[in-house]
Amino acid sequence: MEMKKRINLELRNQAPEEVTELVLDNCKSSNGEIEGLNDSFKELEFLSMANVQLTSLAKLPTLSKLRKLELSDNIISGGLEVLAERCPNLTYLNLSGNKIKDLGTVEALQNLKNLKSLDLFNCEITNLEDYRDSIFDLLQQITYLDGFDQEDNEAPDSEDDDDEGDEDDNDEDEDEAGPPGEYEEEDDEDDGGSDLGEGEEEEEVGLSYLMKEEIQDEDDDDDYVEEGGDEEEEEETRS
């Protein structure tokens, strides 16, 4: 039931046929049964069941689109022929930390024609003499064993490559869009400038109006003085 609860938690609002990745690490299975995991997960491409106390793969459902399978830290000692029957398109298989002891057990993986990477780290089989050469001779379709090829070149981390690609895409988007808030600040500055300009215009209008009033007052005073001067001249002429 623990496994089934975890599957329900992972699915949430997704239907099984829509799920492409499923992580069930540390969920305890009962007698090797993977409760809740069935053939309805037909779109599943990545499945991780690390440390779930699996002793057998006999009840593994048919997952024809599965490409990556994580089974590390379980108690699997054989029965690997099931993988070719149920998951024929596997490219990556992690069996590290299991009870794999001999080449005869691994020989069943020859039928996984698309298998490129196999991990048997911390299995007893790794103590065999010429272990790496023997595995590469036995499984000629694989490129990487325990994370390295035959020339000891490390396998690329596809997840890191994907993350870098996503970051590059995000950077390009940011470059095109500009730094967040830049345009808002510019708009704010423009709004502030326009408000100030309107204030200045109002002030200028006000000053101009006052100056015009003063000029008008001076003109009125001059007219009054000139009229007064004319009257005095007339009086002097009469006298």
Side-chain angles (χ1 to χ4, degrees):
M1 291 299 294
E2 183 71 24
M3 178 73 75
K4 191 169 185 179
K5 288 179 182 178
R6 179 60 180 271
I7 288 178
N8 290 337
L9 181 62
E10 292 285 343
L11 292 180
R12 297 188 179 179
N13 296 325
Q14 283 186 293
E17 59 271 16
E18 298 175 346
V19 178
T20 58
E21 297 185 7
L22 190 60
V23 178
L24 304 172
D25 298 350
N26 302 314
C27 297
K28 306 305 178 186
S29 59
S30 176
N31 298 322
E33 182 179 2
I34 310 170
E35 187 177 358
L37 185 64
N38 51 51
D39 294 345
S40 62
F41 290 87
K42 53 188 176 182
E43 297 296 322
L44 202 60
E45 297 179 3
F46 174 85
L47 174 61
S48 183
M49 297 185 293
N51 190 31
V52 298
Q53 296 185 357
L54 274 180
T55 58
S56 169
L57 297 175
K59 296 183 179 180
L60 184 70
T62 298
L63 304 169
S64 59
K65 291 190 176 183
L66 195 67
R67 296 175 60 82
K68 294 185 178 183
L69 180 59
E70 290 271 0
L71 295 170
S72 60
D73 300 322
N74 284 292
I75 321 170
I76 299 168
S77 59
L80 301 183
E81 61 275 359
V82 173
L83 293 174
E85 298 171 5
R86 313 276 175 84
C87 311
N89 291 308
L90 277 183
T91 60
Y92 172 88
L93 176 62
N94 188 347
L95 289 167
S96 62
N98 279 278
K99 303 298 181 181
I100 311 296
K101 298 180 180 180
D102 53 63
L103 294 174
T105 303
V106 177
E107 187 176 2
L109 300 178
Q110 287 179 331
N111 293 325
L112 287 172
K113 303 302 183 180
N114 296 315
L115 189 64
K116 299 301 179 186
S117 181
L118 175 65
D119 197 336
L120 297 170
F121 184 72
N122 275 345
C123 293
E124 289 185 43
I125 191 173
T126 60
N127 296 323
L128 295 177
E129 186 177 357
D130 297 327
Y131 152 70
R132 288 183 60 81
D133 290 339
S134 298
I135 295 294
F136 278 116
D137 287 342
L138 184 64
L139 304 176
Q140 296 187 6
Q141 78 271 35
I142 69 171
T143 303
Y144 299 101
L145 176 62
D146 301 334
F148 293 87
D149 65 13
Q150 284 184 282
E151 284 73 36
D152 289 331
N153 296 313
E154 189 172 4
D157 192 330
S158 59
E159 292 184 359
D160 287 346
D161 293 342
D162 293 342
D163 291 341
E164 288 177 2
D166 293 340
E167 289 176 1
D168 292 341
D169 292 341
N170 291 335
D171 290 342
E172 289 177 1
D173 292 341
E174 288 181 2
D175 290 340
E176 292 176 0
E182 179 180 350
Y183 297 115
E184 293 179 1
E185 291 178 1
E186 289 181 357
D187 291 342
D188 292 342
E189 289 177 1
D190 292 342
D191 292 341
S194 62
D195 292 342
L196 182 59
E198 290 175 0
E200 289 177 350
E201 287 177 3
E202 290 178 0
E203 185 177 356
E204 288 177 2
V205 169
L207 288 175
S208 301
Y209 180 74
L210 291 176
M211 290 179 65
K212 287 178 180 178
E213 282 190 341
E214 291 178 359
I215 293 169
Q216 186 64 39
D217 290 341
E218 289 178 359
D219 291 341
D220 293 341
D221 292 341
D222 291 341
D223 293 341
Y224 177 77
V225 170
E226 289 177 359
E227 290 176 357
D230 293 339
E231 291 177 357
E232 289 178 358
E233 287 178 0
E234 290 177 359
E235 290 177 357
E236 288 178 357
T237 304
R238 290 175 183 175
S239 59

